[in-house]
Amino acid sequence: PIKACLFDLDGVLVDTAKYHYIAWKRLASELGFDFNEKDNERLKGVSRMASLDILLEIGNLSFDDKTKEALAEKKNTWYVEYISKMDASEILPGSLHFLKELKESGIKVALGSASKNAMIILNNTGLVPYFDAIIDGTKTQSAKPDPEVFLLGAQALNAHPSECVVFEDAEAGIEAATRAHMYSIGVGSPETLSKANFVVSSLQEMSVARLTELTLP
Ligand code: B16
Ligand code: MG
């Protein structure tokens, strides 16, 4: 039986991907090149520094580590400005309903996000009370597709990986779940998330009954 659900944040519970996108686009524009929405797909679920490396590759630029730190810091300052204005209206459809249902049914809930800004987002949207454990980018050593973030979540909830279900919108996140030996549910398009055990287009399609049905042995 399922004992715990682990949720990615950006792209699953809230749509912060658009703020990451605007901030990276602004940086690209300062550096003199264009960055489009298709390029942005490659940055989803990836850590901040790895995202910068992809951006610079697109712009055909290279810098020393110190300059790269400064560029990442600049992007982050803009991003934090944007997410500081977020509120509960930016929670993605179906999220609250499903989180409430999980709580009522006694299934534990953890956050498993790569973001170092997760607490700002959870506080501003009022999502904090729905979590029994919060694992974010400030608590991990290795970024997705490494399974660390989800293994730490399971540990915090006292659940075995076989009793955990992961919700993810990024390919790197699905791979992390698979490597953690957890059941994965992709949130988004079946093409990008073909490696997930199951795919929904949004959490509106989820319920505890559905969860039980999907994970029956
Ligand atoms: P930050 P998630 C990820 O969050 C985002 O999807 C990814 O685009 C971002 O680069 C990463 O967090 C790091 O975020 O710069 O705020 O530390 O999807 O794992 O919740
Ligand atoms: Mg995500």
Side-chain angles (χ1 to χ4, degrees), residues 14-195:
V14 290
D15 183 18
T16 33
K18 65 180 178 216
Y19 298 123
H20 279 298
Y21 174 57
I22 305 168
W24 285 123
K25 196 176 173 66
R26 190 166 162 187
L27 187 67
S29 146
E30 266 202 10
L31 293 169
F33 63 94
D34 189 46
F35 174 65
N36 60 39
E37 241 164 300
K38 197 172 160 268
D39 296 329
N40 189 54
E41 280 303 310
R42 295 177 58 196
L43 272 49
K44 286 189 181 168
V46 171
S47 77
R48 195 181 305 166
M49 286 315 282
S51 299
L52 178 65
D53 284 334
I54 297 171
L55 188 88
L56 294 177
E57 184 197 305
I58 292 164
N60 228 331
L61 292 170
S62 66
F63 295 104
D64 58 48
D65 286 352
K66 219 172 147 234
T67 311
K68 286 202 325 195
E69 286 288 341
L71 291 172
E73 179 63 35
K74 194 169 200 174
K75 177 266 174 180
N76 192 57
T77 306
W78 291 329
Y79 177 69
V80 169
E81 245 171 62
Y82 304 145
I83 59 170
S84 297
K85 293 175 194 137
M86 281 178 84
D87 60 31
S89 70
E90 291 182 70
I91 298 173
L92 288 170
S95 307
L96 279 182
H97 185 266
F98 186 44
L99 287 170
K100 282 178 190 160
E101 217 201 334
L102 287 170
K103 203 178 210 38
E104 282 159 16
S105 69
I107 295 173
K108 297 279 179 228
V109 172
L111 186 81
S113 168
S115 176
K116 292 188 163 77
N117 298 303
M119 281 318 297
I120 304 177
I121 299 165
L122 294 180
N123 278 318
N124 286 351
T125 52
L127 282 170
V128 178
Y130 296 98
F131 293 95
D132 300 294
I134 294 175
I135 313 294
D136 64 14
T138 65
K139 297 196 175 122
T140 53
Q141 305 286 321
S142 318
K144 300 167 190 175
D146 191 282
E148 185 190 16
V149 68
F150 296 131
L151 292 173
L152 287 176
Q155 212 175 65
L157 298 179
N158 224 340
H160 187 268
S162 64
E163 302 168 313
C164 296
V165 174
V166 169
F167 292 88
E168 256 292 346
D169 71 315
E171 240 184 300
I174 295 294
E175 193 182 328
T178 306
R179 282 167 62 178
H181 300 286
M182 296 175 183
Y183 188 92
S184 61
I185 299 186
V187 182
S189 86
E191 292 85 67
T192 16
L193 303 169
S194 61
K195 300 221 173 82

Side-chain angles (χ1 to χ4, degrees), residues 204-215:
Q204 271 176 304
E205 289 169 37
M206 280 311 303
S207 64
V208 170
R210 194 85 197 274
L211 188 73
T212 311
E213 214 176 86
L214 285 173
T215 54

